[in-house]
Amino acid sequence: MSKRPSPVSPTVDFDAEGVQHGFLKLPISTDESAWGAVMIPVTVINNGPGPTALLTAGNHGDEYEGITALLKLSNTLRAEDVRGRVIIVPIMNVPAATAGKRTSGLDGGNLNRSFPGNPDGGVTEQIADYFTRELVPMCDVAL
């Protein structure tokens, strides 16, 4: 039985050359907004053929060192500094970081304990599913 496609959609083109800043958009419906979305920041730096590296931080929302480092890198890394592609996701668990907590402020989920995820699960499971089925498979190395 195959799972349905991920509800997450990127606002960037992973194959386009150059530097792009965008989001991994996960639609949600809450009491505050029936048409809301979790907007996970993503930067793609692509410069021709070569390996793809995925750099992530913010798996837990209260671990700010990696988030800060990758936000700085995503704003300074240039295409001419790269051979291949670098995908930077500085805040994997935006709901947890927004709440200033280790776990998601939306569903209480611990992203680190939610892999491989589920496209039909809660917000945290849906984020884990996107990384498992979509993002990690396109990479040669993930850090």
Side-chain angles (χ1 to χ4, degrees):
M1 180 178 184
S2 65
K3 293 183 179 179
R4 74 175 176 99
S6 173
V8 176
S9 61
T11 67
V12 295
D13 178 350
F14 289 105
D15 296 321
E17 294 288 317
V19 177
Q20 300 173 75
H21 301 283
F23 296 95
L24 306 174
K25 182 179 179 182
L26 173 59
I28 60 168
S29 179
T30 65
D31 290 338
E32 290 79 33
S33 175
W35 297 100
V38 173
M39 303 295 282
I40 302 166
V42 61
T43 296
V44 180
I45 300 103
N46 196 349
N47 188 19
T52 295
L54 171 64
L55 309 177
T56 65
N59 186 312
H60 293 125
D62 61 352
E63 296 173 347
Y64 299 111
E65 300 83 1
I67 293 171
T68 301
L70 288 186
L71 284 170
K72 287 180 180 180
L73 182 63
S74 68
N75 285 304
T76 58
L77 194 60
R78 302 169 308 167
E80 54 267 21
D81 299 330
V82 171
R83 176 180 288 156
R85 177 174 58 181
V86 177
I87 301 169
I88 302 171
V89 183
I91 311 171
M92 292 174 68
N93 195 345
V94 169
T98 301
K101 296 171 41 178
R102 188 166 193 78
T103 58
S104 172
L106 293 175
D107 63 4
N110 182 336
L111 182 57
N112 201 48
R113 305 287 183 261
S114 298
F115 290 95
N118 181 349
D120 296 313
V123 169
T124 304
E125 289 180 302
Q126 291 177 12
I127 293 169
D129 172 73
Y130 182 79
F131 278 85
T132 300
R133 290 195 299 143
E134 303 291 336
L135 212 48
V136 170
M138 70 174 75
C139 301
D140 298 293
V141 63
L143 303 171

